[in-house]
Amino acid sequence: MTVYQSNFSVGMDGWYGRGDAVTLTPGLNWLKVEGRKSSWHSPGRDFDLTEGCPYQISVQVRQDEMDSAEMMLSVAHTLDGKETYENLARAQVKRDAWTTLQCTYTPGYYEKFVLYVETVGAPEMSFEFRLFRLEAPEGSEAAQAVSQDTGAQELPSLKQVYADAFDFGCALPGYAVNRKEVRELFLEQFSILTAENEMKPDALLDVNASRKLAQEDETAAAVRLDRARPLMDFAKANGLKVHGHVLVWHSQTPEAFFHEGYDTARPLVTREVMLGRMENYIRGVFEAVEEMYPGLIVSWDVVNEAIDDGTNRLRDSNWLKTVGEDFVARAFEYARKYAPEGTLLYYNDYNTAVPGKLKGILDLLQGLLPEGNIDGYGFQMHHTVGYPSMGLITSAVEKVAALGLKMRVSELDVGIDANTEADLRRQADKYREIMRLVLRFRDAFEAVQVWGVSDPMSWRSGTFPLLFDAGLNPKPAFFAVADPAGA
Ligand code: XIL
């Protein structure tokens, strides 16, 4: 049985640097070892080991400074004030590959034991280690000495926690795909990806190409996927699903899209021309995606944020001005026409919990239902710990659920005033309550997606609203989401 296991998701767990300048810094679920000047400079931890007990010891190590480095698991033991050493396990550690060092070790009689990880040569090499595990045979004296709860476990995976209920996903900006630690964290935690900006109209509409085509046909709309590709390639290579965001929106959409000849100096186009452009754009997006990434996108936000916060009616946008009141219905009609079979089509909006706006959203959804082109509603949920109340959020979810639509939390984040212990706890509580609510409606929810990986990557970074901090360490909110039934 396991008598000790490190959990570097919360702090150092008793590990310290051996050697003057050695520093240990927590990563996601590992410690990074830096500042070494000597091959024995290492992370170490004191252990109370039982004489004569055959322990199984293992640890995973990683380095990215050399093609291959030899590393050892060692013990320093003290008798009569004199420290002596034994090397217990030894392995070649290839660049970027978590490698396990393991051994069986039966201690003799000593007053003190320190287990540590060192290198053979490479005295200045930095490295990371995780999952340090000590096991003793069932029934042995050492096993009996250990309390039931060894505390330490590997970090839970949100996609696994919710696998039976719905997808757990996250928005990712294109630049983040280049960061290895972000990629690894994403793949450990999330099953569905949304492009934070790279599939919006200002990313997908090729204005220059459209302007040229418009000389022949004013309804033309050319699409390019180049900004979206790094994210789509990442998703495809790793078997992630993708939620498309977004086809029709008033924001992040080139002004030229709505003007004659794609020229902002000229008037807005007629309803007929704009319907033609809308249809050609939507068709173009689906065709381009299907050609390069068949089956990758499982759902789309067809229309985003059409309801105005003040009037609770359709927002005064270029879509309303050119097409008119039925632009939402037409967008869903075209999306259904060109989307691959089975693609789920969503209307997405924010402030759903605000009663007036909720009424406007429900009216819009109700009007769309008869045509049968809408599958679901996406709650953005850009919240703070204080607002809206769980009562308002609950009532909104209940009312949307009553329409019989599928649902998703499309853009979850919960802001706090300051990055303090107290606020982090309140934040965790709010996340937990939201997850409990979503679980109550688990049959209708297709996914929960947080809007970004870590606080500094958030569009609301000043409010520290996400599940991982600047060091990609899990926050209290992460553990609340991972265990929604917890206290
Ligand atoms: C935000 C992105 O996170 C930012 O990077 C960008 O500058 C602005 O848009 N509602 C939405 C999202 O539907 O597309 C928005 O994303 C956040 C609000």
Side-chain angles (χ1 to χ4, degrees):
M1 69 171 284
T2 302
V3 294
Y4 170 78
Q5 184 170 270
S6 56
N7 181 359
F8 299 129
S9 55
V10 275
M12 311 283 281
D13 206 13
W15 288 82
Y16 55 87
R18 289 165 48 84
D20 277 350
V22 178
T23 59
L24 307 185
T25 323
L28 171 58
N29 57 347
W30 60 77
L31 291 185
K32 184 156 180 87
V33 186
E34 291 166 299
R36 303 173 66 240
K37 297 274 178 288
S38 204
S39 61
W40 65 269
H41 282 188
S42 56
R45 188 178 184 277
D46 300 352
F47 285 89
D48 204 2
L49 300 180
T50 305
E51 184 188 0
C53 177
Y55 289 96
Q56 298 278 343
I57 309 177
S58 61
V59 59
Q60 295 185 354
V61 289
R62 175 172 73 174
Q63 59 85 19
D64 60 8
E65 291 184 13
M66 303 171 68
D67 287 340
S68 183
E70 200 166 17
M71 297 187 66
M72 292 194 295
L73 169 63
S74 303
V75 61
H77 29 46
T78 308
L79 187 61
D80 297 331
K82 191 174 180 306
E83 195 172 55
T84 50
Y85 311 93
E86 287 176 71
N87 303 128
L88 306 177
R90 193 167 173 140
Q92 286 294 335
V93 180
K94 299 236 162 63
R95 188 194 300 279
D96 278 348
W98 283 107
T99 305
T100 303
L101 299 170
Q102 57 188 337
C103 65
T104 303
Y105 172 52
T106 307
Y109 176 76
Y110 292 96
E111 293 146 5
K112 185 185 169 195
F113 297 90
V114 182
L115 292 169
Y116 62 101
V117 179
E118 62 182 328
T119 57
V120 182
E124 300 191 0
M125 187 185 81
S126 298
F127 61 88
E128 289 147 11
F129 74 107
R130 70 178 184 189
L131 272 184
F132 194 102
R133 188 179 290 143
L134 199 60
E135 287 171 279
E138 288 299 336
S140 66
E141 197 187 321
Q144 276 157 12
V146 172
S147 72
Q148 278 309 83
D149 182 13
T150 57
Q153 296 295 324
E154 233 191 312
L155 200 63
S157 156
L158 300 181
K159 67 175 175 187
Q160 280 164 22
V161 169
Y162 291 100
D164 291 343
F166 40 74
D167 277 304
F168 205 102
C170 183
L172 198 66
Y175 69 83
V177 169
N178 299 322
R179 290 181 52 195
K180 179 155 130 313
E181 65 280 18
V182 171
R183 286 200 306 272
E184 286 178 358
L185 174 59
F186 199 103
L187 296 175
E188 273 178 29
Q189 295 296 330
F190 306 118
S191 56
I192 189 163
L193 175 152
T194 303
E196 187 174 355
N197 289 298
E198 293 73 4
M199 299 181 78
K200 292 172 177 175
D202 64 359
L204 296 189
L205 180 70
D206 188 334
V207 175
N208 286 331
S210 300
R211 187 175 295 137
K212 286 198 190 102
L213 293 172
Q215 292 169 2
E216 301 284 317
D217 172 9
E218 269 287 18
T219 69
V223 165
R224 59 189 173 110
L225 284 192
D226 45 309
R227 271 188 67 193
R229 292 201 56 174
L231 290 167
M232 309 270 278
D233 288 339
F234 171 64
K236 184 176 168 184
N238 294 288
L240 292 166
K241 298 177 188 171
V242 171
H243 174 73
H245 175 77
V246 48
L247 295 171
V248 170
W249 193 18
H250 66 279
S251 178
Q252 291 184 268
T253 301
E255 176 67 25
F257 197 17
F258 303 94
H259 290 262
E260 289 175 6
Y262 281 85
D263 177 354
T264 54
R266 294 175 57 190
L268 292 175
V269 295
T270 61
R271 166 179 166 86
E272 281 60 46
V273 169
M274 202 60 222
L275 280 175
R277 285 187 186 178
M278 183 197 258
E279 176 162 2
N280 283 327
Y281 176 71
I282 290 174
R283 181 176 52 78
V285 171
F286 281 114
E287 280 178 4
V289 167
E290 260 327 271
E291 194 191 322
M292 284 180 149
Y293 305 96
L296 189 63
I297 304 191
V298 297
S299 49
W300 269 95
D301 292 329
V302 176
V303 179
N304 197 23
E305 303 181 348
I307 297 297
D308 182 81
D309 291 290
T311 64
N312 302 320
R313 298 174 49 79
L314 286 178
R315 180 191 296 275
D316 184 20
S317 69
N318 279 332
W319 286 110
L320 186 67
K321 286 192 185 105
T322 52
V323 175
E325 297 255 331
D326 66 338
F327 84 87
V328 181
R330 298 292 66 78
F332 276 94
E333 179 192 334
Y334 300 144
R336 184 66 91 211
K337 186 167 166 193
Y338 298 108
E341 182 93 35
T343 308
L344 295 178
L345 304 180
Y346 282 82
Y347 175 70
N348 193 55
D349 214 329
Y350 64 96
N351 276 356
T352 324
V354 177
K357 177 120 179 224
L358 174 60
K359 169 86 170 52
I361 290 170
L362 291 171
D363 288 349
L364 178 70
L365 295 176
Q366 225 135 23
L368 292 169
L369 288 177
E371 290 186 38
N373 295 322
I374 181 170
D375 297 305
Y377 179 70
F379 296 82
Q380 289 190 9
M381 294 207 191
H382 295 295
H383 292 337
T384 68
V385 284
Y387 189 82
S389 68
M390 281 315 296
L392 288 176
I393 300 172
T394 302
S395 156
V397 169
E398 285 168 353
K399 293 204 167 99
V400 175
L403 297 177
L405 286 169
K406 293 186 190 304
M407 301 188 283
R408 67 196 305 114
V409 180
S410 53
E411 308 182 10
L412 179 59
D413 51 26
V414 178
I416 51 182
D417 293 336
N419 209 3
T420 60
E421 223 22 64
D423 267 9
L424 289 168
R425 286 195 184 288
R426 292 171 67 208
Q427 179 180 51
D429 289 343
K430 186 83 168 234
Y431 266 106
R432 177 183 285 116
E433 297 277 319
I434 291 171
M435 292 316 301
R436 285 182 181 172
L437 171 64
V438 172
L439 282 170
R440 237 180 83 203
F441 291 90
R442 57 191 289 163
D443 292 345
F445 273 93
E446 286 286 310
V448 171
Q449 299 165 172
V450 282
W451 201 245
V453 176
S454 65
D455 287 339
M457 292 168 69
S458 166
W459 74 308
R460 304 168 66 204
S461 58
T463 70
F464 311 97
L466 294 172
L467 302 179
F468 294 89
D469 69 15
L472 293 182
N473 301 302
K475 296 165 55 182
F478 169 84
F479 291 102
V481 172
D483 180 23

